[in-house]
Amino acid sequence: MATSSLDAWHGETPPVLSDGVVILRPPTPVDAPSIAEACQDPDIVRWTTIPTPYSLDDAHAWIADHEAGEHWWAAPTWAVTNGEARWGGTVDLRLDGVGGAEVGYLVAPWLRGNQVATRALRLACGWAFMALRLEVIRWYASVGNDTSRNVATKVGFRVHRDVLRLGLVQRGERFDAWVGDLLPSDLVEVTARRSPFTGPSLTPREREVLDRLAAGQSNRAISQSLGISENTVKNHVRKILEKLQATSRVDAVIKGVNGGLTSLN
Ligand SMILES: CC(C)(COP(=O)(O)OP(=O)(O)OC[C@H]1O[C@@H](n2cnc3c(N)ncnc32)[C@H](O)[C@@H]1OP(=O)(O)O)[C@@H](O)C(=O)NCCC(=O)NCCS
């Protein structure tokens, strides 16, 4: 990863991401009861490495390690919701520090079957490619987890034909694993098919700001590179979001890419 990209976000509040249906936000202590409830689910126990049995204390300990703070940037982690306050899943990226990450996700039984995991995974990967300039994101699952494989494939991951023999460790036992990888261009193809942009045009200055959002720059970095104040940058960003009917910076970049207004290069 370009270290400077991560540096640009240093001290920033973790991003809240949305595609208009699901919202990704950092986990908070109020999520603990819902997390503890979901982690009784047999599928979550079977396919993830959560402790078992899983208690409310386990949920609080996990939240303390993953809520907003400086440490968040080493392993970006979001609570997935369907627009309501209640926690309904998790998606997280474990960064390797050199442009790659491994992704993990789970969705609570009460939100399953509505594309929630697919949408959450797409949002998180899209943000990581744009904001952190990741080059590759990898997905691992125990052989047999067809639902997870389905989710990963829908987002654009290429699942390798060969199994990674004894490639995953779960509670002290080794299991054969599927492995998939996603490059930025794979994700854009998926998004482009699904949400063509037909919105209004941007001013040249707004295009310059959008290009920098696509390059993963923070408001501070944009203000420095264009020689304008951070407040002016914020106003441009607000206007861009309004014009593209985007719900977040990432959403604006995705719509901008799909509409040919900017690119990820
Ligand atoms: C995997 C998981 C996150 C999916 O959540 P979700 O919000 O229901 O997922 P989505 O609705 O976005 O997509 C699920 C897809 O799998 C399909 N699916 C569901 N059950 C399936 C099964 N038994 N076999 C194959 N595909 C299945 C669904 O039909 C859907 O595909 P479609 O949209 O083409 O119909 C959720 O089931 C979960 O939390 N499982 C336990 C934890 C886990 O396995 N995490 C991943 C570890 S790698």
Side-chain angles (χ1 to χ4, degrees), residues 84-252:
E84 290 171 14
R86 189 182 187 195
W87 174 96
T90 295
V91 56
D92 71 291
L93 293 161
R94 289 146 238 161
L95 307 181
D96 67 11
V98 282
E102 184 184 328
V103 70
Y105 47 87
L106 58 85
V107 165
W110 57 88
L111 284 191
R112 284 189 197 148
N114 293 302
Q115 307 275 330
V116 169
T118 307
R119 288 174 173 281
L121 181 61
R122 186 177 295 150
L123 274 171
C125 294
W127 174 82
F129 286 138
M130 290 169 208
L132 302 183
R133 313 304 289 170
L134 291 193
E135 293 171 72
V136 62
I137 299 176
R138 242 173 263 291
W139 163 90
Y140 296 91
S142 288
V143 168
N145 192 349
D146 293 303
T147 319
S148 178
R149 183 181 175 131
N150 220 317
V151 170
T153 308
K154 283 192 287 174
V155 170
F157 279 81
R158 288 196 199 168
V159 180
H160 299 206
R161 212 165 340 156
D162 285 341
V163 161
L164 205 57
R165 291 182 299 166
L166 302 181
L168 277 183
V169 177
Q170 189 198 34
R171 299 181 199 106
E173 260 190 88
R174 302 203 75 97
F175 292 89
D176 288 347
W178 283 324
V179 59
D181 44 51
L182 182 79
L183 305 184
S185 53
D186 301 329
L187 183 70
V188 170
E189 274 170 39
V190 174
T191 318
R193 269 205 307 276
R194 291 184 180 225
S195 55
F197 168 72
T198 51
S201 59
L202 304 181
T203 65
R205 183 56 112 189
E206 286 163 354
R207 295 278 291 264
E208 285 179 316
V209 173
L210 183 62
D211 284 343
R212 284 161 176 76
L213 290 181
Q217 291 189 8
S218 65
N219 285 352
R220 200 178 318 149
I222 297 174
S223 88
Q224 281 162 3
S225 80
L226 291 179
I228 56 181
S229 74
E230 263 188 77
N231 256 343
T232 309
V233 174
K234 277 185 199 156
N235 286 337
H236 284 310
V237 172
R238 207 189 51 240
K239 203 78 199 158
I240 292 168
L241 261 61
E242 213 176 279
K243 284 188 176 177
L244 301 186
Q245 298 185 331
T247 51
S248 67
R249 297 158 74 99
V250 172
D251 192 30

Side-chain angles (χ1 to χ4, degrees), residues 33-44:
S34 297
I35 294 176
E37 184 183 335
C39 287
Q40 310 308 315
D41 170 64
D43 283 338
I44 293 182

